Amino acid sequence: MPEITRQEVEHLADLARIDLSDAELDQIAPQLSVILESVASIKEAAADDIAPTSHALPLTNVFREDVVVPGLTAEQALSGAPEVDQQRFSVPRILGEEA
Amino acid sequence: MSESRTSMSDWTRKTGAELADALAAGETTSVELTQAHLDRIAAVEGAIHAFLHVDAAGALAQAAESDARRSDGDLRSPLDGVPIAVKDILTTTGLPTTCGSKILEGWIPPYDATVVTKLKDAGLPILGKTNMDEFAMGSSTEHSAYGPTHNPWDLDRIPGGSGGGSAAAVAAFEAPIALGTDTGGSIRQPGAVTGTVGVKPTYGGISRYGLVAMANSLDQVGPVTRTVLDSALLHEIVGGHDPRDSTSVDPPLPALVEAAPQGATGDRSGVRVGVITELGREASAGSGWQAGVLARFQESLDLLVEAGAEVVEVSCPNFVHALAAYYLIMPSEASSNLAKFDAMRYGLRVVPEGDPSAEDVMRASRDAGFGDEVKRRIILGTYALSSGYYDAYYGQAQKVRTLIGRDFDAAFEQVDVLVSPTAPTTAFKLGEKLDDPVAMYLNDLATIPANLAGVPGISLPSGLADEDGLPAGFQVLAPALADDRLYRVGAALEALLEKKWGGAILDRAPELKGADA
């Protein structure tokens, strides 16, 4: 059966940018193993020559007229921002200490 | 005084179509019946908790505008003036939109979802936003960060999910109609366990612009009502092509509203109904299918046969893999869609001690803002999409999706509609499956195939299960873009069942404490 280790969950949480506590890691790792076991049959469910479906609709290249339409004002776009500075989103530093 | 009290409480028992007729006949005003629903909300919300936000002032203002238009003879839709509740995953200007999550607590979107714009344009006062599993992840509404919704039939039981709030609001007569969203059954399964009607339209039939995406290739907005006709009326108002949604389909919707009365009163002979072998037909002890649910399903089939429908059994062999495919595709898409909650532009920002970087703030904010089920699914999706596992999990799931589409295509060559019980059981107890994700996922067994293939489905009440007296659901599925068949067959069965039970199933729900006597 597919086993997913605590270390793997920690790595996945890191990729997903979620700080999980030790207690959460202890809880989620075994739960994910059970979930993966319950979906393991998928590996044998379809032959190699079956094409994948990513979407139920056969739509490709949906175009629209290239015309100017009103968008959000700066004030509206910033209305939910945690922090605003000079009509811009203010964010924490994005470079490492050593940079 | 007592007379007006009686009539006020009566308005909440009417269907959307009946309210529209009463408005047209001048028997009431939109303000009066909006107030009646607000009073009902005030009386029963303590027990039900269907709403996350109630907008009394906004709803009454919209109602007053509707009344003014009516006196000017300028009506905008058949439901102009009929109040509605909206699931909290659809963006609304001026009203919070939390998706049941702490990460969006207090967020007021700067734009309306297209379906919300359509409701406003059509003159429907919006009573408020309804409770849901966080980001629509769940089958019980217990994963809401703001506490669960209670089933009006039994307050100790779940109202289904993720749209338990919309279903409970309609079942508890707090709103005549509501909007929900359905990714794997989030409209239909709550409909089944609350004795209400819920429709998942053809994928692309209703705009997703302003629907906060969980799994964008599966999500679809749809009606939550007490009758099949009301669903058709609401579907026509919110449906249609939207240039702001690139997955919105161009072909116009078939006539839905006329399909319902045709089904209810017309000739049902010759309708070919396919019973899906893989969904409950081979039930045995321990298979998870409740006997009372299957009994009501069989009874409904018998009624259709008596009315002249031709019922055959149809095998969809790949449906046995649908749940596994869904629980790989959905978390994969969710892990990608929910990456936008990064604490930078909107939503919760948690700043750890010291001199944190933007990434440190993201990690801390997402840990604090997301609940357990959301974290589980994001991590599962991240796993299924990561190199080394992609082909075995996400890639295989996409192939199964192809096979399920082929099963539907083959089945619809033989029959006009496919049917099954909507959910394997009636409403279970709050807390019963909370610590067992896989048991919770099994609730969606019968509803998921439609989302994977993009075909439309309806759930309507089939009666009450003998063992617990709780409502069971009957699901009808139709080919893509043939949503009118849902309403034709659904209304036919609704009329047959109403005759059998001597009235609407929901009339048998117990009266809630605190409500007007």
Side-chain angles (χ1 to χ4, degrees):
Chain A
M1 70 170 257
E3 239 345 298
I4 182 159
T5 64
R6 198 175 183 283
Q7 287 70 27
E8 274 181 289
V9 173
E10 203 168 0
H11 174 62
L12 292 165
D14 187 55
L15 291 174
R17 305 289 186 269
I18 303 175
D19 260 345
L20 290 184
S21 66
D22 283 345
E24 285 177 311
L25 285 169
D26 289 339
Q27 193 197 17
I28 287 183
Q31 283 173 337
L32 287 184
S33 291
V34 173
I35 295 170
L36 283 174
E37 191 187 351
S38 75
V39 300
S41 62
I42 202 85
K43 292 180 183 175
E44 318 297 332
D48 289 346
D49 60 346
I50 305 294
T53 298
S54 62
H55 218 270
L57 294 176
L59 288 174
T60 45
N61 297 340
V62 176
F63 294 114
R64 59 169 172 76
E65 292 303 311
D66 187 14
V67 290
V68 177
V69 292
L72 298 180
T73 64
E75 194 183 29
Q76 286 172 325
L78 292 164
S79 62
E83 204 183 331
V84 175
D85 188 9
Q86 298 173 58
Q87 219 182 67
R88 281 160 177 77
F89 295 102
S90 177
V91 304
R93 64 180 174 78
I94 55 168
L95 298 176
E97 306 247 27
E98 66 279 12
Chain B
M1 185 76 186
S2 67
E3 202 176 306
S4 94
R5 247 176 99 79
T6 312
S7 71
M8 295 267 275
S9 98
D10 277 348
W11 290 125
T12 65
R13 309 294 292 200
K14 305 278 188 202
T15 70
E18 288 167 350
L19 294 177
D21 288 346
L23 285 166
E27 294 162 14
T28 184
T29 62
S30 179
V31 167
E32 185 186 20
L33 52 90
T34 299
Q35 186 61 54
H37 285 92
L38 291 169
D39 291 347
R40 174 75 181 175
I41 290 169
V44 303
E45 258 301 90
I48 303 294
H49 189 42
F51 285 87
L52 292 177
H53 326 281
V54 174
D55 184 22
L60 288 169
Q62 290 166 304
E65 284 171 27
S66 171
D67 288 335
R69 279 196 303 275
R70 189 173 296 275
S71 60
D72 292 345
D74 168 32
L75 290 179
R76 292 181 175 173
S77 79
L79 294 180
D80 197 329
V82 176
I84 188 168
V86 174
K87 191 178 181 183
D88 203 35
I89 199 167
L90 296 162
T91 58
T92 42
T93 51
L95 260 187
T97 300
T98 68
C99 301
S101 180
K102 287 284 176 204
I103 213 162
L104 284 178
E105 188 165 15
W107 181 54
I108 305 211
Y111 67 102
D112 278 324
T114 294
V115 290
V116 170
T117 303
K118 288 191 178 213
L119 292 181
K120 289 179 176 175
D121 289 349
L124 284 76
I126 296 174
L127 295 165
K129 305 293 290 291
T130 56
N131 199 10
M132 54 183 286
D133 285 296
E134 184 175 4
F135 289 109
M137 298 186 191
S139 307
S140 69
T141 315
E142 293 169 290
H143 292 306
S144 167
Y146 304 98
T149 296
H150 299 262
N151 191 320
W153 288 80
D154 176 347
L155 298 176
D156 293 330
R157 289 178 190 266
I158 60 110
S162 65
S166 284
V170 169
F173 303 97
E174 294 176 270
I177 56 175
L179 279 183
T181 63
D182 190 312
T183 305
S186 288
I187 288 175
R188 289 163 289 159
Q189 180 257 9
V193 300
T194 59
T196 54
V197 176
V199 176
K200 184 207 92 76
T202 296
Y203 182 84
I206 295 181
S207 170
R208 290 186 302 107
Y209 179 76
L211 157 59
V212 180
M214 165 166 72
N216 46 283
S217 83
L218 306 166
D219 299 338
Q220 192 56 201
V221 181
V224 175
T225 64
R226 292 194 288 267
T227 66
V228 174
L229 174 61
D230 277 4
S231 276
L233 286 162
L234 182 54
H235 191 158
E236 279 202 359
I237 285 171
V238 294
H241 182 252
D242 179 12
R244 299 211 225 209
D245 174 3
S246 63
T247 60
S248 167
V249 290
D250 250 335
L253 291 167
L256 305 175
V257 173
E258 32 178 278
Q262 281 167 5
T265 58
D267 181 11
R268 296 106 183 198
S269 58
V271 177
R272 295 170 305 161
V273 175
V275 181
I276 304 167
T277 307
E278 286 73 16
L279 297 178
R281 292 310 269 180
E282 292 160 343
S284 54
S287 69
W289 291 91
Q290 189 178 324
V293 170
L294 296 178
R296 293 290 86 84
F297 177 69
Q298 186 57 51
E299 204 172 82
S300 302
L301 279 181
D302 294 344
L303 287 174
L304 287 170
V305 170
E306 278 169 39
E310 185 188 317
V311 174
V312 294
E313 197 156 314
V314 180
S315 176
C316 294
N318 293 289
F319 280 21
V320 296
H321 300 298
L323 195 72
Y326 176 80
Y327 276 96
L328 289 163
I329 290 169
M330 173 273 298
S332 297
E333 293 188 11
S335 72
S336 168
N337 283 316
L338 270 58
K340 65 174 162 279
F341 298 107
D342 58 5
M344 298 298 129
R345 293 152 300 159
Y346 62 118
L348 179 73
R349 178 183 286 184
V350 173
V351 182
E353 295 281 311
D355 174 31
S357 68
E359 278 205 11
D360 296 331
V361 170
M362 279 178 208
R363 283 175 222 278
S365 301
R366 287 162 66 81
D367 181 46
F370 289 143
D372 288 348
E373 180 64 12
V374 174
K375 289 174 185 171
R376 267 197 291 272
R377 294 198 191 184
I378 289 175
I379 289 171
L380 181 61
T382 307
Y383 178 81
L385 291 174
S386 53
S387 77
Y389 300 106
Y390 181 97
D391 288 342
Y393 288 110
Y394 185 67
Q396 279 296 109
Q398 286 190 307
K399 288 182 179 180
V400 168
R401 202 170 176 181
T402 305
L403 296 174
I404 285 165
R406 288 183 191 171
D407 279 358
F408 271 117
D409 290 345
F412 286 129
E413 277 178 19
Q414 303 171 57
V415 296
D416 301 311
V417 292
L418 289 166
V419 297
S420 77
T422 309
T425 68
T426 57
F428 48 91
K429 290 256 165 86
L430 286 160
E432 193 179 316
K433 299 185 178 179
L434 202 49
D435 296 321
D436 187 349
V438 174
M440 187 77 90
Y441 298 169
L442 285 168
N443 268 283
D444 305 332
L445 196 67
T447 44
I448 277 170
N451 300 82
L452 290 170
V455 305
I458 187 172
S459 175
L460 67 151
S462 58
L464 306 180
D466 291 332
E467 36 313 354
D468 51 23
L470 294 168
F474 186 96
Q475 175 177 242
V476 183
L477 304 170
L481 301 173
D483 302 51
D484 54 324
R485 293 186 198 174
L486 305 180
Y487 296 111
R488 199 163 280 122
V489 176
L493 181 58
E494 180 183 55
L496 295 166
L497 282 165
E498 202 158 298
K499 210 163 147 197
K500 180 187 169 59
W501 289 78
I505 309 286
L506 197 56
D507 289 346
R508 295 168 173 265
E511 189 52 47
L512 292 163
K513 275 189 198 142
D516 285 356

